[in-house]
Amino acid sequence: MHRTDSYTSTTTSWAGSLTTRQQRTRYVGIDVGLDRVSVASMGWAPRRRSDTSVGPTLRWFTQSSFPIPIDPSSGPCPDWVDVVANTLRDQLPRCVEDSPVVATLSLPSTWVHYQTTGVGEIAATQSQCDAMFDASIFRSPAHLVHWPVVQGGDTHQVAATPISAAMAIAKAVADVGYEVESILPPGAALLHASTMTAIKISSILTLDPVGGLISAVNEDARQTMGSVLCGLCRPLPACELESGSSLHVGQLESWLVSVAAEYAATCRYAGRMGDPCDASLPVLICGQLAAVEGVDRLLASLIERPVAVWRYAGRIRPGMGSEEIDRRNANGNFTRQQWDADTTEALSVSLAFCSVGLASDKNGGK
C-alpha cells in the first residue's frame, strides 16, 4: 500500500501520472456485512477553476446500501454464501459499459478468523484453519494473509477466510461487471485509508453489535517507514440489543466497559511485542454503534485516551452539490444524519480508497 501520512499528499502522488483510462475509472468499495451490503465509489474529477493547484482530485462520488435477507441473530444457515452471492448479483449498482470499475471487497465479519502466531508456525496455523473452516458450513480450506505485528518481528497477525466463500463472492461481483482488485481484512482497510479523516490515530475500533473489531496501528512501521500499516487485530465481544428499541448510550455502558477492557488488553499485548500504542494519539471509532450520541465521550472516559468519530475530511461527498458542501464545511454545519452516515459507511469508503491505491500500485504509481 501507499504511504498515508497525508490525504492531500497521497492523492496528489496518485494523480501525478494518471492515464486517460485511470481518470475515467470508478474505484468502488463493497463492504459485505452480516445483514447488508454497503457500496461506495470514488474517482478522479477535474479541479474547479477556484482551485489554485492543477490536475484532477480524488472525490467520493456515491454511496448506497441494500439488505441481505439474512437474520444474523439466528445463527448461520447452510446456504448463507449462496444467499449473499445471489443478492450481490441482483442488487449491486450496474456498471456503465466501457467505463472501468475497480472494486475492493471485505467479507462478513464472522467469515474472518484472527489470531497471532509465530512466523515459523504459519504452516501449522494453515492446517488448523483448514480444519476449522472444513468443519463449518463453508466446507472449505482456508486462505491466510499475515503480517508482522512489529517490522522484522517473529509474531505475525493472521486473518483467515474460507476460500470457497471468498471465491463465490468475488465471482458474483465480477459477474456484474466489476474488476475485483482484492479482498481485504476490514481492520487493515480502515487503517490504510485512515488518512481520509485527516487525523493521526493510534487505532480504530469498529463498534458493531456483532463483528466489532480492534485494529491497532503498527507504530514501528509508522516510525521507520512512515506508513500507516495494521498491527494487531482483535474481535470485540458481541453487544446484546433489544430489537426495535431506540438506542441511547446508557444501554451500551456495560458493553463499552467490556470493549474498553479488550482495548486495554490489546495495548498491553502490543507493548509486550515491542510496539506499544501511542497514548497521545486519538482512538478512532466507526460502525453502527459509534453513531450513538455520547458513545465517544463515554468510551474516552473508560480508556482514558482521546476518542474521535470517523469523519471524511474531503470537501465533496455524495448527495450534495459542491458549492453547498463547501459552505457547510466552512461553517462546520453538517447535520447529525450526515455525520452518522460517515461513521456507519466508513469501511466501504475506506475500501474504495484502497482500490485507488491498489490499482495505482499495479500500474506503477508512486
Side-chain angles (χ1 to χ4, degrees):
M1 292 297 293
H2 283 270
R3 294 170 60 95
T4 51
D5 305 60
S6 160
Y7 178 56
T8 302
S9 65
T10 300
T11 55
T12 299
S13 67
W14 287 342
S17 57
L18 289 174
T19 65
T20 301
R21 182 183 187 277
Q22 288 171 317
Q23 291 189 44
R24 290 191 298 108
T25 300
R26 284 296 176 98
Y27 300 92
V28 174
I30 303 175
D31 167 21
V32 182
L34 294 174
D35 58 0
R36 75 166 191 144
V37 176
S38 181
V39 184
S41 75
M42 303 187 82
W44 298 101
R47 292 189 181 273
R48 291 172 299 156
R49 284 175 292 182
S50 58
D51 289 333
T52 56
S53 53
V54 295
T57 183
L58 186 64
R59 293 183 178 175
W60 176 14
F61 282 115
T62 64
Q63 184 72 47
S64 61
S65 64
F66 52 88
I68 301 172
I70 291 287
D71 180 2
S73 65
S74 63
C77 56
D79 61 346
W80 193 1
V81 176
D82 291 337
V83 170
V84 174
N86 291 333
T87 302
L88 288 167
R89 289 189 183 92
D90 292 341
Q91 299 295 327
L92 274 176
R94 266 28 190 182
C95 301
V96 178
E97 190 174 352
D98 296 326
S99 181
V101 182
V102 175
T104 299
L105 322 177
S106 67
L107 298 177
S109 54
T110 54
W111 295 12
V112 186
H113 169 72
Y114 297 96
Q115 71 178 80
T116 54
T117 190
V119 68
E121 299 170 345
I122 297 297
T125 302
Q126 176 76 62
S127 298
Q128 293 166 4
C129 292
D130 285 345
M132 177 182 65
F133 282 123
D134 187 56
S136 71
I137 63 168
F138 301 110
R139 299 294 180 188
S140 169
H143 173 72
L144 264 61
V145 294
H146 58 92
W147 56 88
V149 173
V150 178
Q151 296 305 110
D154 180 67
T155 302
H156 278 221
Q157 176 69 60
V158 170
T161 54
I163 290 176
S164 62
M167 292 181 64
I169 298 306
K171 183 178 186 305
V173 173
D175 284 348
V176 291
Y178 294 78
E179 299 175 18
V180 178
E181 188 65 51
S182 183
I183 298 176
L184 294 181
L190 285 163
L191 284 174
H192 285 321
S194 62
T195 185
M196 286 194 296
T197 68
I199 300 174
K200 187 177 181 180
I201 62 170
S202 66
S203 53
I204 293 180
L205 302 187
T206 305
L207 304 180
D208 282 322
V210 179
L213 191 67
I214 297 173
S215 313
V217 171
N218 184 324
E219 289 292 349
D220 181 67
R222 178 150 59 189
Q223 296 298 322
T224 60
M225 301 165 55
S227 300
V228 181
L229 302 178
C230 191
L232 287 171
C233 283
R234 288 167 60 96
L236 288 173
C239 179
E240 299 293 334
L241 297 172
E242 295 182 17
S243 59
S245 61
S246 179
L247 281 178
H248 58 83
V249 68
Q251 294 172 280
L252 302 175
E253 184 170 0
S254 62
W255 175 70
L256 288 172
V257 169
S258 66
V259 169
E262 287 294 329
Y263 174 75
T266 301
C267 289
R268 288 194 300 270
Y269 185 67
R272 291 197 299 271
M273 294 296 103
D275 192 44
C277 301
D278 190 333
S280 67
L281 297 179
V283 174
L284 202 61
I285 60 173
C286 63
Q288 177 185 339
L289 301 181
V292 176
E293 189 168 2
V295 162
D296 53 343
R297 295 188 296 273
L298 178 54
L299 186 60
S301 70
L302 292 171
I303 65 174
E304 299 182 334
R305 297 191 180 193
V307 171
V309 180
W310 199 99
R311 304 285 190 240
Y312 175 65
R315 294 187 302 173
I316 312 299
R317 65 184 62 218
M320 302 182 69
S322 60
E323 294 303 324
E324 182 179 3
I325 199 71
D326 281 349
R327 176 177 58 79
R328 286 175 179 250
N329 214 21
N331 296 337
N333 197 29
F334 290 112
T335 67
R336 178 80 195 185
Q337 184 177 15
Q338 289 161 340
W339 284 138
D340 289 352
D342 280 15
T343 304
T344 56
E345 311 304 335
L347 179 53
S348 60
V349 185
S350 295
L351 289 164
F353 188 79
C354 288
S355 288
V356 183
L358 289 167
S360 180
D361 282 340
K362 187 170 67 175
N363 289 287
K366 301 297 183 182

